Amino acid sequence: MAYDDLRSFLRALEREGDLKRIKAEVDPHLEVGEIVDRVQKAKGPALLFENVKGSSMPLAMNVFGTERRLAKSLGLKSPDDIAEKIAGLLKPELPQGFTGFREAFGKLASMAHVPPKQVKAGDAPVQEVVLTGDDVNLDELPALFTWPLDGGSFFNLGLTHTKDPDSGVRNLGLYRLQRHDRRTIGMHWQIHKDSRNHAAVAAKRGERLPVAIAFGCPPAVTYAATAPLPGDIDEYLFAGFVAGERVKMVDCKTVPLQVPADAEVVLEGWLEPGKMLPEGPFGDHTGFYTPQEPFPALTIDCVTMRRRPILQSIVVGRPPTEDGPLGKFTERFFLPLLKVIIPDIVDYDLPEAGGFHNCVIVSIDKKYPKHAQKVMHAIWGAHMMSLTKLIIVVDADCDVHDYQEVAWRALGNVDYSRDLSVVEGPVDHLDHASYQQFWGGKAGIDATRKLPEEGYTRDGGWPEMVASDPATAALVTRRWKEYGL
């Protein structure tokens, strides 16, 4: 089973020697970020800063900084545990394409342990302390000024709750939050995000949008907020499925939303239509600064928290960072579902260096001419994978996670006058390389073996790859110790 709350997981890490308490005073202006960046790049322990300058609240960092820790937090041995569980639900075979994808999630939602469970306010640790009006002071929370050219201090792991004003469907998303003053935070809702759509619907109706932001949530909830789910799929259903138990929820005090009862801190407020403030610059997970832009500014009317809360945050920047394990788990979890949409796929890899959305390496069991190109265009039409800038397609006998093997195929198997597809389409809001915002060029590389029907008519056909003689290889394996090597 996954851990019920953040603090129980931190205690477990400390017992195993995988959490380090930092008792020295640290400055959230640059110093914390520099410490965390060094530790996470060294695959070091989770950190608990107990004396953050300007705040009485401890700060938990690098909590999910290794795949082992993330798996432990979710009660898993590896991400393949959930992938296999999802694959099991897809039998008997569902319809292919997005219909099958949604039916698959429907099967998840029907499981008894998945739907969230409401608890009374008196049973919610996150509401042990309630602050309203002039008692609300965001300056008392340890926001991070991480990189020298950042435009201010940010909360980087606040889980944002909104609802579609038309349908009532809720969304749980992870967006950076700039602290503008003691009562105001900036909502970095990118153009492709569901919360931005909710705000647009509310503004069109001339209504305020209720918003709740939760920090230090149960690990399965935090992970679910990062998962690229379709807008009408409840992240709390997915969190319950991953955790193997129902997530406890409680009604907010001042907005008509629900939040995790076992969270550490919750901010509640109403977003006024048209209220915008300059947000950024910010050193983002791409490793580059994103520029200052106007984004919605939320006034916080109420803060609820535990009596002795712990704030959780992350540091992003040039990879590798704590984003790495989260992105890799999403890659593994969603492979069975991606195969429902695109059954041609054998396996895929999302390199962390590409921010998990700039590049996809995919293997296929090639069956007909231009099969690789068909898969490329299917990926460019698959939900958030539509933002992919580079797709490399290899044959099924290539390990997509072995970048040396992939590079060998992509460099040696490609005639770039024929096997390179260049198109234009949407790119991520944070993409700095496109010559204009939101759309740009994309490329697909066909690194599969080529068929005569594709125009490869050289004598002898496509050559065989060099490989050892199986009998000799087996002999050498048996005698290896004899060689004294």
Side-chain angles (χ1 to χ4, degrees):
M1 287 292 200
Y3 286 83
D4 291 335
D5 59 17
L6 172 65
R7 55 185 57 207
S8 64
F9 180 55
L10 296 180
R11 287 194 295 267
L13 292 180
E14 188 167 31
R15 287 193 298 269
E16 296 179 353
D18 204 11
L19 180 141
K20 175 68 175 177
R21 291 179 181 266
I22 310 296
K23 299 184 181 296
E25 184 183 66
V26 292
D27 195 332
H29 185 93
L30 297 178
E31 185 179 10
V32 169
E34 180 69 21
I35 295 168
V36 174
D37 190 53
R38 293 188 188 189
V39 172
Q40 64 188 14
K41 282 181 169 50
K43 300 299 181 185
L47 303 175
L48 186 62
F49 294 98
E50 298 183 319
N51 187 5
V52 181
K53 184 178 180 180
S55 176
S56 61
M57 199 175 294
L59 180 63
M61 302 290 297
N62 201 36
V63 175
F64 305 132
T66 65
E67 290 188 27
R68 189 199 76 84
R69 279 204 298 276
L70 180 54
K72 179 179 177 65
S73 76
L74 302 177
L76 307 174
K77 292 182 180 179
S78 81
D80 292 333
D81 294 349
I82 290 295
E84 291 171 3
K85 192 175 177 182
I86 292 173
L89 288 176
L90 305 185
K91 300 173 182 177
E93 188 171 326
L94 295 169
Q96 294 178 359
F98 280 98
T99 299
F101 184 83
R102 295 184 185 281
E103 286 190 25
F105 269 103
K107 294 182 75 172
L108 302 188
S110 69
M111 300 179 67
H113 63 261
V114 167
K117 176 176 64 177
Q118 185 167 356
V119 301
K120 297 178 181 178
D123 296 328
V126 76
Q127 293 180 346
E128 290 172 345
V129 177
V130 179
L131 304 175
T132 59
D134 292 339
D135 291 330
V136 173
N137 185 3
L138 300 179
D139 291 336
E140 295 179 352
L141 277 62
L144 297 180
F145 192 111
T146 304
W147 302 108
L149 300 183
D150 281 354
S153 296
F154 292 80
F155 302 110
N156 294 335
L157 205 62
L159 310 190
T160 300
H161 299 70
T162 58
K163 277 187 178 181
D164 186 317
D166 287 335
S167 68
V169 173
R170 70 177 157 205
N171 179 69
L172 175 66
L174 178 60
Y175 318 101
R176 72 181 191 232
L177 308 162
Q178 182 170 356
R179 184 177 63 195
H180 290 304
D181 57 43
R182 61 180 289 150
R183 293 279 304 277
T184 310
I185 54 176
M187 313 300 295
H188 190 256
W189 289 343
Q190 301 163 41
I191 192 171
H192 304 109
K193 303 301 183 180
D194 293 318
S195 288
R196 182 183 178 116
N197 295 334
H198 295 176
V201 171
K204 187 175 181 179
R205 294 166 52 157
E207 299 173 355
R208 300 185 301 167
L209 182 73
V211 181
I213 303 163
F215 296 89
C217 294
V221 175
T222 300
Y223 169 72
T226 73
L229 301 173
D232 57 351
I233 302 298
D234 188 354
E235 285 81 5
Y236 280 101
L237 294 177
F238 187 59
F241 174 74
V242 171
E245 60 183 2
R246 300 169 69 183
V247 178
K248 290 183 288 186
M249 307 288 288
V250 66
D251 290 336
C252 290
K253 293 293 186 179
T254 62
V255 293
L257 297 168
Q258 290 187 325
V259 290
D262 291 314
E264 295 286 329
V265 179
V266 169
L267 313 181
E268 302 177 10
W270 292 86
L271 182 66
E272 299 289 344
K275 185 175 181 181
M276 310 278 278
L277 286 174
E279 193 269 0
F282 179 75
D284 223 312
H285 73 277
T286 59
F288 294 86
Y289 288 95
T290 49
Q292 186 179 83
E293 294 183 76
F295 276 96
L298 176 69
T299 299
I300 303 302
D301 301 314
C302 177
V303 177
T304 72
M305 64 180 75
R306 293 176 182 246
R307 288 191 181 89
R308 300 184 65 183
I310 300 169
L311 197 79
Q312 184 182 5
S313 191
I314 61 173
V315 163
V316 296
R318 292 181 65 172
T321 66
E322 193 171 346
D323 281 350
L326 292 166
K328 188 55 64 174
F329 271 51
T330 290
E331 173 200 290
R332 293 296 90 197
F333 284 2
F334 281 80
L335 176 59
L337 292 164
L338 184 60
K339 286 183 175 182
V340 172
I341 304 173
I342 312 172
D344 315 74
I345 290 176
V346 174
D347 199 0
Y348 79 128
D349 184 277
L350 307 174
E352 181 181 359
F356 296 103
H357 57 75
N358 282 337
C359 177
V360 176
I361 304 166
V362 59
S363 60
I364 64 171
D365 184 10
K366 186 171 180 176
K367 291 182 168 63
Y368 47 80
K370 299 299 179 182
H371 195 169
Q373 285 75 8
K374 180 240 186 181
V375 171
M376 292 173 194
H377 289 281
I379 291 173
W380 281 322
H383 191 46
M384 294 304 289
M385 293 193 77
S386 64
L387 304 180
T388 303
K389 294 203 297 183
L390 175 64
I391 300 173
I392 303 171
V393 185
V394 294
D395 287 307
D397 62 352
C398 178
D399 180 358
V400 294
H401 311 294
D402 183 342
Y403 296 158
Q404 178 70 26
E405 174 78 6
V406 172
W408 178 61
R409 306 279 184 124
L411 297 174
N413 277 7
V414 178
D415 177 340
Y416 285 95
S417 68
R418 291 175 174 263
D419 304 329
L420 176 67
S421 299
V422 179
V423 301
E424 291 181 335
V427 297
D428 191 82
H429 193 135
L430 304 179
D431 189 274
H432 64 279
S434 58
Y435 280 50
Q436 58 286 308
Q437 198 171 30
F438 306 135
W439 66 276
K442 300 162 176 279
I445 297 175
D446 178 4
T448 63
R449 74 189 191 285
K450 303 308 181 298
L451 305 175
E453 296 87 347
E454 294 175 302
Y456 189 86
T457 57
R458 292 175 60 173
D459 290 346
W462 192 259
E464 294 291 328
M465 291 186 292
V466 174
S468 297
D469 172 62
T472 304
L475 171 67
V476 169
T477 299
R478 289 195 305 270
R479 299 192 58 193
W480 190 253
K481 290 184 179 180
E482 298 179 38
Y483 306 143
L485 297 175

